[in-house]
Amino acid sequence: MINDLVRVCPHIRRVAGKPVAAGRSRTVERNGVRCKVSRMQDQSPDLDAPGAQHTGALAKTTLQARGLSKVYGTGDLAVWALRDVDFELREGELVVLLGASGSGKSTLLNIIGGLDRPTSGTVTFDGADITGYGDHELTLYRRDHVGFVFQFYN
């Protein structure tokens, strides 16, 4: 299981009801997964400051995964690489996945990047469900919206 999800979010000002100062982070745990939320240093003015204007709008959700599972093998030999993962990426966020070897990081990235298909669940990019895409549509998605840097292929 992925241990940590580090989110660097320009629009995050509070986590679990507590303020997050620019350049600082706060860790929250949900369902056994730790999420470290950080606020970048070079941000817009603090919206909690007196006189600050706030529209109340959050950044647009660009990528969303719901109920993602990936199982390799069947029966007694089945190995769950991902089990019921929910993930959301908003415009302007920088997300870092941290976890032990074999925890599902690469599997998650391969699925949301359109290189692999989940056993169950959905991935939505800009409102379109890419899990229903055919090979040609996935090629266009990767070409136009995804960048990969492979660590083992020079």
Side-chain angles (χ1 to χ4, degrees), residues 18 75 77 84 137 149:
K18 298 180 182 174
L77 300 176
D84 199 30
E137 292 169 306
V149 177

Side-chain angles (χ1 to χ4, degrees), residues 62-77:
T62 304
L63 183 76
Q64 186 177 56
R66 291 289 176 247
L68 278 189
S69 294
K70 181 66 176 183
V71 181
Y72 294 100
T74 58
D76 291 341
L77 300 176

Side-chain angles (χ1 to χ4, degrees), residues 73-95:
T74 58
D76 291 341
L77 300 176
V79 175
W80 288 80
L82 296 175
R83 190 184 305 248
D84 199 30
V85 173
D86 290 337
F87 173 80
E88 192 172 276
L89 180 65
R90 294 181 180 273
E91 200 168 70
E93 284 186 322
L94 171 66
V95 177

Side-chain angles (χ1 to χ4, degrees), residues 4-149:
D4 294 306
L5 176 62
V6 179
R7 301 183 83 113
V8 182
C9 314
H11 59 276
I12 293 289
R13 299 291 187 250
R14 296 182 172 278
V15 174
K18 298 180 182 174
V20 178
R24 303 288 184 178
S25 64
R26 191 167 300 285
T27 302
V28 179
E29 186 164 334
R30 286 193 190 130
N31 300 326
V33 177
R34 285 180 294 163
C35 179
K36 183 175 181 181
V37 181
S38 301
R39 200 173 129 204
M40 292 181 281
Q41 199 68 288
D42 55 340
Q43 297 305 312
S44 57
D46 187 351
L47 297 177
D48 293 329
Q53 304 244 341
H54 185 357
T55 63
L58 292 175
K60 174 183 153 191
T61 298
T62 304
L63 183 76
Q64 186 177 56
R66 291 289 176 247
L68 278 189
S69 294
K70 181 66 176 183
V71 181
Y72 294 100
T74 58
D76 291 341
L77 300 176
V79 175
W80 288 80
L82 296 175
R83 190 184 305 248
D84 199 30
V85 173
D86 290 337
F87 173 80
E88 192 172 276
L89 180 65
R90 294 181 180 273
E91 200 168 70
E93 284 186 322
L94 171 66
V95 177
V96 179
L97 296 176
L98 303 172
S101 178
S103 63
K105 301 177 301 290
S106 293
T107 301
L108 176 61
L109 292 174
N110 287 339
I111 291 171
I112 64 177
L115 291 175
D116 199 1
R117 297 181 189 273
T119 303
S120 63
T122 60
V123 176
T124 307
F125 177 77
D126 273 347
D129 180 2
I130 69 164
T131 48
Y133 280 7
D135 289 341
H136 180 70
E137 292 169 306
L138 282 174
T139 299
L140 296 177
Y141 165 70
R142 288 189 301 265
R143 181 192 73 187
D144 296 339
H145 304 291
V146 179
F148 288 99
V149 177

